[in-house]
């Protein structure tokens, strides 16, 4: 297993189609990064669930504040319709481009381009049109579609971080607790499998579409 660092991380972008996507897919990575780099700037964008300060937006704001301890968190939650992002392409693209205009990130966390959910997949395809020269890690979300695949990059998680991720997911997203896949076993089970794949106890795994190396320095 080869371990390559990214160098200094001062700015991170995290995008999700729905409230809870970022936390489910990369919550452990955010906890790890933010604890290691106090004051890191995190620009987060969620395309659905906003408007009127509703339950989903309130959950997301509280959750990401907990997942990004000590960070300079800047969260925008839009109110595009859940499940209909492909027919709201212009609005989604404008939101991603607006995000790009206000930050120059060292790392982008986004959905995978081969995610089976149309909203996740659509957002994943938009990200590289705006963040053209950035490291983009595509996170995974377990679901009934059975779209989990072979991943290329791993962030090991300590047992404490893995447990905290699950605790925060259960604590902050009360609206999702009724879902049959939204439980401790699902989240820790996937993290354990990805940990095995990278010789760690737990891990989050990511797809990488394109990666530029600089091995001469």
């Amino acid at each position: 297993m080869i371990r390559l660092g990214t160098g200094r991380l001062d700015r991170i972008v995290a995008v999700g189609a729905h409230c809870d996507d970022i936390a489910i897919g990369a919550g452990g990575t955010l906890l790890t990064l933010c604890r290691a780099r106090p004051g890191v700037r995190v620009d987060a964008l969620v395309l659905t669930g906003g408007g009127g300060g509703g339950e989903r937006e309130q959950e997301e704001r509280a959750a990401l504040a907990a997942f990004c301890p000590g960070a300079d968190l800047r969260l925008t939650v839009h109110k595009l319709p859940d499940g209909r992002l492909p027919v709201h392409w212009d609005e989604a693209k404008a939101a991603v481009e607006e995000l790009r205009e206000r930050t120059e990130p060292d790392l982008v966390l986004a959905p995978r381009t081969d995610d089976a959910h149309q909203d996740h997949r659509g957002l994943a395809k938009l990200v590289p049109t705006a963040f053209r020269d950035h490291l983009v890690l595509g996170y995974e979300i377990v679901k009934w579609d059975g779209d989990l695949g072979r991943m290329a990059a791993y962030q090991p998680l300590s047992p404490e971080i893995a447990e905290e991720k699950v605790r925060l997911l259960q604590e902050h997203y009360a609206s999702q607790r009724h879902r049959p896949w939204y439980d401790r076993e699902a989240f820790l089970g996937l993290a354990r499998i990805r940990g095995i794949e990278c010789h760690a106890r737990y891990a989050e795994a990511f797809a990488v579409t394109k990666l530029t190396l600089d091995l001469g320095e």
Side-chain angles (χ1 to χ4, degrees):
M1 177 66 64
I2 298 176
R3 295 176 180 265
L4 297 176
T6 60
R8 186 172 178 84
L9 286 174
D10 294 317
R11 295 192 176 196
I12 301 167
V13 158
V15 298
H18 315 103
C19 297
D20 76 21
D21 285 354
I22 296 170
I24 292 173
T29 296
L30 284 174
L31 283 168
T32 301
L33 282 170
C34 293
R35 287 186 171 175
R37 298 169 175 82
V40 64
R41 176 169 162 176
V42 179
D43 288 274
L45 170 68
V46 180
L47 294 181
T48 70
E55 179 185 23
R56 291 290 275 152
E57 181 175 351
Q58 291 180 33
E59 287 179 341
E60 187 73 343
R61 293 192 179 281
L64 289 190
F67 275 104
C68 300
D72 177 10
L73 174 63
R74 307 180 187 195
L75 170 62
T76 301
V77 183
H78 286 275
K79 55 181 180 180
L80 296 179
D82 188 349
R84 298 290 185 271
L85 288 190
V87 297
H88 292 269
W89 188 262
D90 287 345
E91 297 100 311
K93 184 172 177 63
V96 173
E97 290 178 343
E98 180 183 271
L99 172 63
R100 175 65 183 93
E101 289 175 0
R102 64 175 184 264
T103 187
E104 181 64 53
D106 303 301
L107 172 66
V108 179
L109 300 170
R112 298 177 298 135
T113 56
D114 56 352
D115 193 296
H117 194 295
Q118 68 273 10
D119 290 354
H120 301 172
R121 188 171 62 251
L123 175 56
K125 291 180 179 179
L126 279 173
V127 167
T129 69
F131 296 93
R132 294 179 177 272
D133 299 307
H134 302 80
L135 174 60
V136 179
L137 298 182
Y139 56 73
E140 58 183 349
I141 297 177
V142 64
K143 62 181 80 67
W144 71 270
D145 304 83
D147 63 351
L148 299 179
R150 189 169 186 175
M151 306 300 272
Y154 298 83
Q155 171 58 52
L157 305 178
S158 69
E160 294 76 19
I161 290 288
E163 290 283 356
E164 184 171 3
K165 173 183 175 177
V166 173
R167 180 183 65 79
L168 292 176
L169 287 172
Q170 294 289 355
E171 176 182 342
H172 289 287
Y173 295 106
S175 66
Q176 304 304 298
R177 293 176 191 155
H178 69 284
R179 299 184 182 277
W181 55 268
Y182 197 92
D183 60 31
R184 171 186 171 83
E185 289 181 310
F187 298 133
L188 276 186
L190 180 58
R192 179 70 185 108
I193 291 171
R194 296 315 191 190
I196 291 171
E197 294 173 351
C198 68
H199 296 169
R201 182 64 185 174
Y202 298 107
E204 286 177 339
F206 301 90
V208 180
T209 303
K210 185 167 59 176
L211 175 65
T212 300
L213 298 175
D214 184 358
L215 302 179
E217 295 185 2

